[in-house]
Amino acid sequence: MGKIIVEVMLKPEILDPQGQAVGKALPRLGFTFAQSVRQGKRFEIEVAGDPTPAMLADVEKAAEEFLANTVIESFVVKVEK
Amino acid sequence: MRVGVVTFPGTLDDRDAARAVEYAGAEPVSLWHGSDDLKHVDAVVLPGGFSYGDYLRCGAISAKAPIMKSIIVAAEHGFPVLGICNGFQVLAEAHLLPGALTRNADMHFLCTDQTLKIENNSTMWTNGFTLGQEILIPMKNAEGNFNCDDATLHELESEGRVIARYVGVNPNGSRDAIAGITNKRGNVVGLMPHPEHAIDLLTGPSKDGLTFFTSLLHSMIAG
């Protein structure tokens, strides 16, 4: 069984109030490392066998049309070993 | 005249939308998201709510529902569609309207009566207003922050496709304080606040919202 990962992030120019809220909470908990935080989504897609190039092309299409809204988000497709 | 009101799983405001259609003098027809049958309606309202629990993104899963396939085809041929709140988010996700509705800038869920200024009274849903008219209707959302790239914003502004803008303090961070927009043809309109909740003084802050629905009747009869 193979696994394909799609990671979706808001584009840098789009305000991310959720990430900001997380970023502001961290120092209150004593974690002072973060200059900024942005929050995104990760999809783990299980497939039968090793992902083929055709399957990856299909995932890319699904990400473009559905998993991400490319008006405000960008995405990357990866294969997990 | 028959006006369809679509119910998705998680829709909240379909009854109020149907009531507004009735107040305006048309016959509301209930449409179900899982069917592609528009039941020979003359127009459609996509009401507010939290369709599919706002999973993935607000309106994203609803935009792919069977009923939307029929609505998208019809809308491209001039069929009138009004998306309110979650319905606006569905229209944006279905690419019938440009841009996207994102999380309110201050993260708060807003629930208030909001003053809007009508900036385009030539659409099928706004022709009963006077240009510059200020109206008071309820607003309730967490993802009402209208976003788009600079080129799209320029196109919307230069073509007069902003139909309504927030008056006073921008409540949610929307670009150019945009509350609602239309497509080029003026048959598809999306609006974040809720006209269907402002049709009777017994239940709303004004009757201003009713004009969206009477505008439709006027444009159908005149057209």
Side-chain angles (χ1 to χ4, degrees):
Chain A
M1 190 175 61
K3 200 183 257 185
I4 302 170
I5 308 297
V6 181
E7 284 175 355
V8 178
M9 290 299 296
L10 280 173
K11 289 179 178 174
E13 67 271 24
I14 303 293
L15 181 73
D16 176 18
Q18 290 190 89
Q20 284 181 348
V22 172
K24 281 181 189 157
L26 282 172
R28 289 203 296 272
L29 301 170
F31 299 112
T32 54
F33 50 78
Q35 288 205 315
S36 77
V37 177
R38 292 182 72 77
Q39 185 178 323
K41 294 188 189 101
R42 174 184 158 102
F43 300 86
E44 299 188 347
I45 304 164
E46 288 180 353
V47 296
D50 283 338
T52 61
M55 192 186 279
L56 285 171
D58 256 7
V59 171
E60 191 88 19
K61 192 161 176 277
E64 174 87 35
E65 288 176 13
F66 186 52
L67 299 178
N69 177 351
T70 54
V71 174
I72 50 169
E73 294 168 329
S74 58
F75 65 88
V76 286
V77 175
K78 300 178 203 166
V79 176
E80 191 164 273
K81 301 288 177 205
Chain B
M1 200 176 101
R2 290 157 56 84
V3 179
V5 177
V6 180
T7 301
F8 300 94
T11 294
L12 295 178
D13 299 324
D14 40 354
R15 285 188 179 203
D16 271 24
R19 177 170 167 258
V21 166
E22 209 161 4
Y23 266 54
E27 180 196 344
V29 177
S30 187
L31 300 178
W32 182 240
H33 73 108
S35 161
D36 60 4
D37 182 6
L38 289 176
K39 297 186 183 170
H40 305 289
V41 294
D42 303 295
V44 152
V45 178
L46 302 178
F50 299 86
S51 60
Y52 286 94
D54 281 348
Y55 295 168
L56 187 60
R57 294 174 306 277
C58 302
I61 299 178
S62 303
K64 309 294 184 194
I67 197 77
M68 286 306 298
K69 287 202 176 84
S70 304
I71 290 174
I72 289 166
V73 171
E76 282 161 359
H77 291 90
F79 180 77
V81 183
L82 173 65
I84 302 164
C85 193
N86 189 223
F88 184 8
Q89 294 164 340
V90 173
L91 289 177
E93 283 285 348
H95 306 298
L96 283 174
L97 291 174
L101 284 311
T102 61
R103 202 67 189 252
N104 292 343
D106 63 4
M107 285 288 280
H108 291 132
F109 185 94
L110 295 171
C111 187
T112 183
D113 294 333
Q114 175 70 41
T115 304
L116 306 179
K117 187 176 178 191
I118 300 295
E119 303 230 340
N120 176 336
N121 66 345
S122 62
T123 78
M124 297 186 88
W125 299 93
T126 58
N127 59 65
F129 293 105
T130 54
L131 207 57
Q133 184 176 342
E134 292 198 356
I135 65 169
L136 181 69
I137 64 176
M139 173 172 69
K140 43 172 187 149
N141 64 69
E143 279 91 1
N145 181 349
F146 180 79
N147 257 291
C148 62
D149 60 25
D150 292 344
T152 306
L153 187 67
H154 178 74
E155 192 181 307
L156 287 171
E157 292 288 3
S158 63
E159 293 175 1
R161 286 167 53 196
V162 176
I163 62 126
R165 237 182 274 274
Y166 300 113
V167 173
V169 177
N170 185 335
N172 52 23
S174 287
R175 295 201 77 175
D176 285 11
I178 288 173
I181 57 173
T182 180
N183 65 347
K184 280 179 198 285
R185 198 166 177 165
N187 60 307
V188 180
V189 165
L191 184 69
M192 217 50 219
H194 289 262
E196 81 284 16
H197 295 331
I199 60 164
D200 188 319
L201 291 175
L202 182 67
T203 49
S206 76
K207 293 198 265 186
D208 296 340
L210 188 58
T211 305
F212 284 89
F213 301 91
T214 52
S215 291
L216 171 72
L217 264 74
H218 181 260
S219 58
M220 297 300 278
I221 293 160

